[in-house]
Each structure stands twice: as structure tokens, then as C-alpha cells.
């Protein structure tokens, strides 16, 4: 099946256009636009009428017609809590957390070191990345406790722009992702990525070459319980990259031995410099969505790491995605479009069965789409 036919396997549903909410098109960029879940989108921008006024706008995406809340605030960065109506703001190394419904400040803290990246890693903890280390600030209680040192950064990340920090659900595994120009290749436009994987159990790190990575909790066929899965995607120079699906410990009694899968992924459709910018795993279906900078989505199977199809999700650069609460992913593109992308389940199953000749994968996905285990 060629690329145009594979595009018929996905469904794109527009959610909103950010310019309709008073946000300038040239401010729809990373890291001005942030999302910690599919509930809220947050953007720092200047006022359309008063250009000297800085604003923070938060969109509630759970409503049929997304509702915008906007405040005149000057901050280096801003992000909504993944579940609660809490807005976190950073000014230099000073943090504040506000309840936007009650309109009051809940917590505040500061670090002596410069913070170069931060994010909500769940609904009660903010992860902070400095030049040397990663800290966690727990705001589940009074928020009066200072941020706690979690681990030191790998020195190889010193020359990278940190673009992502995530933890698994158990809080035992962390990943820090950085991107840098691959100058040693002789091509200054080529981008190389590094992922520092840290284990709290073993208190050690491993550095893996990849441009994007993410955790998931997934129950593999035949297993009695879900396990922690790490998905990494890397595109070095050349048309082909790789997706790596790695099952992490601790081992759950009754589950099969750990899986460690690697499969090729063709990135040539997006051009020479297209790279993966995100990877999201749908736990309910076992589908892996790899979004590229050029707007292509590559759908893979988490149980085999096999690439299933490639489709064009956007004609413009996509710089941000989060998993949808039901199925698929939500993405944001440079043309200010916020969209929900899912697969057409029946068509994908037929494609896997008839074109890819992989009936076992097709049958398993068919069962998961219908809600069967």
C-alpha cells in the first residue's frame, strides 16, 4: 500500500485553532506552547492589542468547544497540571503554583541553580532539570518541602538542548532526552538525540542514542499483569531509523521473560532531516504512535515493534503531542492547529491482514479494538 492509501488508515479531527483564542501564530512554538495531558493546553504570548503586555492563556480541551482562560502574566514558562486546574509558572529559578478556579497561590519554591527545563511528571510532582542534575518538587501536601535531588545528569547531555523529561508510573524509572546538532557527521543540519535512562532501584544510568522516548504500562499477551515498557525511536543519518521496545523491571511473577525488540522504520517520506519528535503508546490497543517533525505519523505494534503504516497528519511542522484519554493522540502544529488523531480500526486491521500478511497482529488488534483482552 502506497503512502496516499496508508493516509486513509488514520482519522484527523480538528479540535481548535489557537489564533481563535487571541494567540499570535508566531507564538505557537516550542516551548511557548505546553501540554502535560489531553486536558489542558497552555501558551505564553503577547496581547494581540497591547503588544507590550505578556499573557498566559490556558485552554480546557475537555469541553466540546475549548474554553480559554487568560491572564496578564510575565513568566519564563508556564504549564497546567495534567489533572487539576493548577497553573505552574517559572520566573528564572522561582516557581509558583496557582489554582486558576479559586484564583489563589498554592505553593512556591526556588532553586539556587538555573533551571533549563521543567514539567509536571504527574498531578503532584514537578520535575526540574538544571545543568548538573534533576530535582523533584512534590506539591501534593503543603508544598513547603524544597525540591529533592533525584539523579545527576550524564555529561554527554551537557551539549544538548533538553526537550523532555518523563517518569514511569511506579516512579522507579526516569528518562531525560536531549538533542544536539550532529556536527561530527559533517552536516550541521543533522540532529542527534541522547536519552539518559535512570533506575532508582539500581541507582545508575544508561545513555542510549535516540531522539525521543516514553514510558508506558502495558499488559502483553499471555502476561498476568501490566509491566513497564520503554519505547525509544532514533533516526540517524540515512532513510531508516529504529524503534526499540524494552520491557523494564522489576519482573512481575507470572509474566513471561522480558521483551527487548528492535525494528526498522523508514523516515524518507519526511525528507533528509525529518526526525521523530514524540512517541506515545496507547495501552488499550497496543498501538505506538511515532510523530515526526515533518508531520508524519508512524503507527507501530508495541508487542512486535513492527511498523504498520505511515500517514501524513499535518502539512506543517508538528512540535507537541500527548496521548488522548481514550485512543490516539492530540497534536499541535506550527499552523496553530490542535488536532486529535486516531486510526480507522477496521481499515487498519484489513491492511495488516491483507497487505502486511500478519494475521496474528491483525487478530490481536481486532480483539483489543472490540474491548476484548
Amino acid at each position: 500500500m502506497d503512502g496516499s492509501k496508508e493516509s486513509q488508515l488514520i482519522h484527523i479531527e480538528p479540535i481548535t485553532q489557537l489564533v481563535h483564542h487571541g494567540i499570535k501564530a508566531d507564538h505557537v512554538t516550542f516551548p511557548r506552547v505546553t501540554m502535560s495531558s489531553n486536558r489542558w493546553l497552555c501558551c505564553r504570548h503577547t496581547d494581540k492589542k497591547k503588544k507590550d503586555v505578556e499573557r498566559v492563556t490556558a485552554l480546557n480541551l475537555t469541553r466540546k468547544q475549548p474554553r480559554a482562560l487568560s491572564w496578564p502574566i510575565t513568566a519564563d514558562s508556564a504549564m497546567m497540571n495534567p489533572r487539576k486546574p493548577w497553573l505552574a509558572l517559572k520566573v528564572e529559578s522561582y516557581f509558583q503554583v496557582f489554582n486558576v478556579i479559586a484564583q489563589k497561590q498554592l505553593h512556591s519554591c526556588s532553586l539556587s541553580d538555573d533551571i533549563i527545563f521543567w514539567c509536571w511528571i504527574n498531578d503532584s510532582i514537578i520535575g526540574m532539570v538544571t545543568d548538573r542534575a534533576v530535582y523533584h518538587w512534590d506539591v501534593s501536601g503543603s508544598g513547603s518541602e524544597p525540591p529533592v535531588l533525584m539523579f545527576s545528569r550524564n555529561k554527554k547531555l551537557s551539549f544538548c538542548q533538553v526537550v523532555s523529561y518523563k517518569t514511569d508510573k511506579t516512579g522507579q524509572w526516569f528518562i531525560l532526552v536531549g538533542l544536539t546538532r550532529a556536527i561530527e557527521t559533517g552536516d550541521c543540519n543533522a540532529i542527534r538525540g541522547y536519552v539518559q535512562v535512570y533506575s532508582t532501584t539500581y541507582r545508575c544510568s544508561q545513555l542510549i542514542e535516540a531522539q525521543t522516548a516514553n514510558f508506558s504500562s502495558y499488559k502483553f499477551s499471555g502476561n498476568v499483569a501490566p509491566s513497564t515498557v520503554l519505547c525509544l525511536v532514533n533516526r540517524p543519518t540515512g532513510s531508516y531509523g529504529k524503534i526499540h521496545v524494552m520491557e523494564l523491571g522489576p519482573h512481575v511473577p507470572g509474566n513471561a521473560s522480558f521483551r527487548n525488540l528492535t525494528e526498522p522504520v523508514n523516515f524518507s517520506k519526511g525528507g533528509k532531516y525529518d526526525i521523530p519528535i514524540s512517541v506515545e503508546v496507547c495501552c488499550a490497543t497496543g498501538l505506538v504512535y511515532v510523530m515526526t517533525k515533518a508531520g508524519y505519523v508512524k503507527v507501530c505494534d508495541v508487542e512486535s515493534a513492527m511498523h504498520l503504516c505511515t500517514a501524513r497528519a499535518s502539512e506543517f511542522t508538528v512540535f507537541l503531542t500527548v496521548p488522548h484519554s481514550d485512543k490516539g493522540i492530540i497534536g499541535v502544529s506550527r499552523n496553530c492547529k490542535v488536532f486529535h488523531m486516531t486510526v480507522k480500526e477496521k481499515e487498519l486491521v484489513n491492511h495488516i491482514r491483507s497487505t502486511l500478511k500478519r494475521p496474528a497482529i491483525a487478530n490481536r488488534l481486532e480483539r483489543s479494538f472490540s474491548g476484548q483482552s
Side-chain angles (χ1 to χ4, degrees):
M1 183 179 284
D2 59 34
S4 60
K5 290 184 178 179
E6 287 189 9
S7 292
Q8 299 173 14
L9 301 176
I10 69 168
H11 173 69
I12 304 292
E13 179 184 2
I15 297 176
T16 191
Q17 278 277 352
L18 295 180
V19 291
H20 296 164
H21 301 282
I23 299 171
K24 292 182 177 180
D26 57 353
H27 285 174
V28 182
T29 61
F30 174 87
R32 280 185 174 271
V33 178
T34 60
M35 294 181 72
S36 58
S37 72
N38 68 303
R39 297 180 66 87
W40 293 92
L41 180 147
C42 191
C43 182
R44 293 180 301 112
H45 60 100
T46 57
D47 192 287
K48 271 195 170 183
K49 296 181 180 179
K50 301 177 181 179
K51 295 184 179 180
D52 58 336
V53 176
E54 295 286 331
R55 301 192 71 85
V56 171
T57 295
L59 286 177
N60 185 341
L61 300 180
T62 62
R63 301 168 65 98
K64 190 172 183 180
Q65 294 294 328
R67 179 191 174 197
L69 303 174
S70 190
W71 310 272
I73 296 174
T74 300
D76 299 334
S77 52
M79 183 178 291
M80 289 293 294
N81 184 285
R83 191 173 63 87
K84 305 170 185 176
W86 292 2
L87 172 65
L89 301 171
K90 182 185 85 73
V91 179
E92 296 181 346
S93 295
Y94 181 67
F95 274 88
Q96 293 173 293
V97 177
F98 295 89
N99 184 319
V100 299
I101 304 299
Q103 297 186 9
K104 68 176 183 178
Q105 179 179 307
L106 301 175
H107 310 289
S108 65
C109 80
S110 62
L111 277 181
S112 57
D113 295 337
D114 291 337
I115 299 168
I116 61 173
F117 183 87
W118 68 276
C119 63
W120 289 97
I121 58 175
N122 55 41
D123 60 7
S124 60
I125 296 176
I126 292 176
M128 305 174 180
V129 183
T130 71
D131 285 331
R132 297 182 179 181
V134 175
Y135 295 81
H136 284 184
W137 181 34
D138 190 340
V139 295
S140 58
S142 64
S144 59
E145 295 297 322
V148 177
L149 173 66
M150 302 307 296
F151 64 96
S152 298
R153 288 178 52 179
N154 187 292
K155 292 182 179 179
K156 201 153 190 175
L157 286 172
S158 300
F159 304 98
C160 295
Q161 177 190 5
V162 175
V163 295
S164 178
Y165 174 62
K166 297 180 184 293
T167 72
D168 76 315
K169 286 186 176 180
T170 68
Q172 298 181 66
W173 295 92
F174 309 142
I175 49 175
L176 186 64
V177 184
L179 300 178
T180 184
R181 295 194 182 276
I183 302 175
E184 71 282 359
T185 64
D187 188 344
C188 62
N189 291 314
I191 300 297
R192 174 164 288 171
Y194 294 100
V195 178
Q196 181 179 354
V197 184
Y198 180 79
S199 166
T200 59
T201 303
Y202 303 106
R203 296 183 180 274
C204 65
S205 292
Q206 180 181 359
L207 196 68
I208 301 174
E209 192 168 335
Q211 284 121 348
T212 186
N214 208 343
F215 291 111
S216 176
S217 178
Y218 179 77
K219 182 176 177 290
F220 285 92
S221 299
N223 279 359
V224 298
S227 53
T228 299
V229 177
L230 173 62
C231 290
L232 306 105
V233 188
N234 185 45
R235 189 217 179 156
T237 55
S239 297
Y240 277 85
K242 290 183 178 181
I243 179 170
H244 191 181
V245 178
M246 184 188 310
E247 200 173 356
L248 303 175
H251 181 263
V252 178
N255 281 1
S257 57
F258 288 146
R259 292 161 174 82
N260 196 331
L261 309 165
T262 303
E263 289 291 329
V265 180
N266 191 339
F267 286 91
S268 61
K269 289 182 180 179
K272 183 178 180 181
Y273 300 115
D274 191 22
I275 61 169
I277 60 103
S278 70
V279 55
E280 310 286 355
V281 181
C282 179
C283 302
T285 62
L287 291 178
V288 182
Y289 297 89
V290 180
M291 183 62 71
T292 79
K293 184 179 179 181
Y296 285 91
V297 62
K298 300 178 182 299
V299 183
C300 303
D301 170 43
V302 71
E303 297 214 15
S304 63
M306 182 180 179
H307 171 249
L308 303 177
C309 69
T310 294
R312 195 75 186 261
S314 173
E315 296 291 330
F316 296 83
T317 297
V318 176
F319 62 92
L320 177 63
T321 68
V322 294
H324 193 270
S325 57
D326 296 325
K327 294 178 180 178
I329 60 175
I330 292 177
V332 184
S333 57
R334 281 288 284 114
N335 66 333
C336 308
K337 183 179 179 181
V338 183
F339 60 90
H340 177 207
M341 196 216 76
T342 56
V343 297
K344 296 178 182 178
E345 298 175 354
K346 184 177 179 180
E347 289 84 346
L348 179 62
V349 168
N350 290 337
H351 167 66
I352 298 169
R353 184 175 286 130
S354 304
T355 305
L356 301 183
K357 308 296 184 184
R358 298 299 295 267
I361 297 177
N363 293 340
R364 172 166 41 80
L365 286 176
E366 195 169 37
R367 290 193 299 270
S368 67
F369 291 152
S370 65
Q372 301 175 28
S373 57

